[in-house]
Amino acid sequence: NAGVTQTPKFQVLKTGQSMTLQCAQDMNHEYMSWYRQDPGMGLRLIHYSVGAGITDQGEVPNGYNVSRSTTEDFPLRLLSAAPSQTSVYFCASSYSSRNYGYTFGSGTRLTVV
Amino acid sequence: RKEVEQDPGPFNVPEGATVAFNCTYSNSASQSFFWYRQDCRKEPKLLMSVYSSGNEDGRFTAQLNRASQYISLLIRDSKLSDSATYLCVVYNSASKIIFGSGTRLSIRP
């Protein structure tokens, strides 16, 4: 079982560039989400989706877009990268956001210079 | 005040010891609670859900105290492999899932 697959694992961007972080899960989970993890701040929710075609904002959505065209895929787009977006990004999925734990991907380490 | 607070540690304990962490939360309407462990430069992994009645999984015991608004994690007979950062997670709604900053645990031989 692949679980949650994130690509790429590492990325360096220049300020102003755009890119898409890929996330795919093969567990037929309805709920998917994106987090960023910064030192001393814990994981913060960027965007989430409760099913195909449905997305919503989390705590820190500015500068990011998402879409959910299929149950399996939930890409995160950085529109115009800024140094403040340097972080580790995790995608997570679950049967239900409330009652079940989340399975995380292995993360993407993004540096914006 | 942070919505979810954890002692960052580090807790440095000998192998075989019992260690406990607490995590306090501010929203009395919080619905679900979890403990995760995260190894250095790795993704968080679910350790256990925290039920109102408390629950145990081998050497790990989780408790919820709604009156005082905290959850706890107890690790008995600690192993070297228990060294990690332990994150508490509080679910308020689908858009409000709060992760604590984590408690670092280091087990020494």
Side-chain angles (χ1 to χ4, degrees), chain B residues 23-44:
Chain B
C23 168
T24 59
Y25 60 95
S26 62
N27 186 344
S28 60
S30 296
Q31 300 177 45
S32 312
F33 308 88
F34 307 91
W35 282 105
Y36 280 74
R37 71 169 278 165
Q38 185 173 25
D39 295 296
C40 188
R41 301 179 73 82
K42 297 286 189 181
E43 72 273 21

Side-chain angles (χ1 to χ4, degrees), chain A residues 31 37 97-98 102 105 109, chain B residues 31-32 36 38 43 91 97:
Chain A
Y31 180 85
Q37 186 173 33
S97 62
R98 173 179 174 181
Y102 318 110
R109 295 185 176 275
Chain B
Q31 300 177 45
S32 312
Y36 280 74
Q38 185 173 25
E43 72 273 21
Y91 175 97
I97 301 168

Side-chain angles (χ1 to χ4, degrees), chain A residues 10 31 35 37 40-45 48 50 56-59 90 97-107 109, chain B residues 2-3 31-34 36 38 40-46 49 51 87 89 91 93-101:
Chain A
F10 302 93
Y31 180 85
Y35 289 86
Q37 186 173 33
M41 298 192 72
L43 282 86
R44 291 180 293 166
L45 182 63
Y48 69 97
V50 298
D56 211 339
Q57 297 180 352
E59 180 185 356
F90 289 103
S97 62
R98 173 179 174 181
N99 295 321
Y100 295 86
Y102 318 110
T103 301
F104 282 83
S106 58
R109 295 185 176 275
Chain B
K2 286 184 178 180
E3 293 184 81
Q31 300 177 45
S32 312
F33 308 88
F34 307 91
Y36 280 74
Q38 185 173 25
C40 188
R41 301 179 73 82
K42 297 286 189 181
E43 72 273 21
K45 292 186 177 177
L46 179 66
S49 302
Y51 303 124
L87 310 174
V89 180
Y91 175 97
S93 68
S95 64
K96 198 80 169 170
I97 301 168
I98 313 296
F99 279 74
S101 299

